[in-house]
Amino acid sequence: MLRLSRPSANIAVKSSRAFSKFKLPDLSYDYGALEPVISAEIMQLHHSKHHNAYVTNLNVALAKLEESQHKNDVSGVIAQQAAIRFNGGIFRFLHHV
C-alpha cells in the first residue's frame, strides 16, 4: 500500500508480504524435440541462458522493489516497475504461468 500525505511527502509504503523467488521451469519436452526446425543446441541456449536471464532480472527487480518499499523510497518503487513489467511479462509469456 502506498500513501502520500500532502506535498511534504510523509510517505508510508507497506509491503503486504515478502516475494517468493521465481524459478526457471523445466521444459515439458527435450531440447532436441523441435529438430530439425530448431536445434537442441539453440533450444538449450535460449532456455538456460536467455529465459533464465528474464527470471534472474525479475527476481533482482523484485528484491530492489522490496528494499525500496522497506526504505519508503517512492522513486525506487517507481523505478522498478518497468523491469518487473518487462521481465515478468516475458516470463509469463514463455512459461504460461
Side-chain angles (χ1 to χ4, degrees):
M1 172 169 58
L2 174 64
R3 288 180 300 167
L4 297 174
S5 65
R6 309 241 180 214
S8 66
N10 289 338
I11 301 168
V13 180
K14 189 176 185 182
S15 175
S16 59
R17 62 185 166 85
F19 78 95
S20 57
K21 286 193 172 190
F22 286 87
K23 296 177 185 165
L24 180 67
D26 293 331
L27 291 178
S28 60
Y29 50 88
D30 186 63
Y31 287 139
L34 301 176
E35 288 186 342
V37 178
I38 302 174
S39 72
E41 182 182 12
I42 293 297
M43 285 299 297
Q44 190 274 333
L45 174 74
H46 273 63
H47 183 254
S48 66
K49 303 289 183 195
H50 297 301
H51 296 185
N52 193 46
Y54 295 120
V55 174
T56 300
N57 291 336
L58 176 59
N59 287 326
V60 167
L62 288 170
K64 287 180 180 179
L65 172 68
E66 190 172 53
E67 181 180 331
S68 294
Q69 288 174 329
H70 180 71
K71 292 178 179 178
N72 292 327
D73 176 12
V74 174
S75 61
V77 169
I78 293 168
Q80 295 311 311
Q81 290 178 358
I84 292 168
R85 188 171 40 252
F86 176 77
N87 291 294
I90 297 288
F91 176 81
R92 186 171 183 193
F93 173 76
L94 292 172
H95 299 288
H96 310 288
V97 176

